[in-house]
Amino acid sequence: MPIDIASLAGWIPALIFPLATAMQLATILRRKSADGVSITAWSLFALANVSLYAYLGKYAEPQAILSGLGTAALNLAIVIAAWRFRAVSLDRRV
């Protein structure tokens, strides 16, 4: 059984993108602070990931789902957490 290099290469972003994004989310939640986190950038990352998933057209492939939709969902979780902890941070300053 030959190794499909393209399929194997597809697993790299399918694992790294969600993992890296989850690490940022974990940092925000652990610190209970979104200082230095750009809500605009993470929102654009979510849009780009959904767009890339749609562009690829490989809707049933787990690599595309994880790297596109999975990462986009985590991007949005970062946006929500950043809004939440920014509001808390602003309340403390007042």
Side-chain angles (χ1 to χ4, degrees):
M1 171 186 261
I3 297 174
D4 180 7
I5 299 297
S7 178
L8 185 61
W11 281 104
I12 294 170
L15 297 174
I16 291 175
F17 288 163
L19 179 61
T21 306
M23 290 169 59
Q24 177 67 71
L25 180 59
T27 299
I28 293 169
L29 296 175
R30 185 176 55 252
R31 292 182 182 171
K32 296 184 177 158
S33 172
D35 291 343
V37 174
S38 172
I39 291 173
T40 303
W42 286 101
S43 298
L44 291 172
F45 292 149
L47 177 62
N49 281 309
V50 171
S51 298
L52 185 57
Y53 173 77
Y55 172 74
L56 290 175
K58 298 182 177 186
Y59 306 119
E61 288 194 12
Q63 299 97 317
I65 294 167
L66 286 171
S67 62
L69 299 181
T71 303
L74 289 168
N75 294 150
L76 292 176
I78 288 173
V79 169
I80 292 166
W83 269 332
R84 177 177 176 228
F85 289 117
R86 287 254 169 94
V88 169
S89 177
L90 290 175
D91 288 341
R92 290 181 192 157
R93 292 182 192 160
V94 175

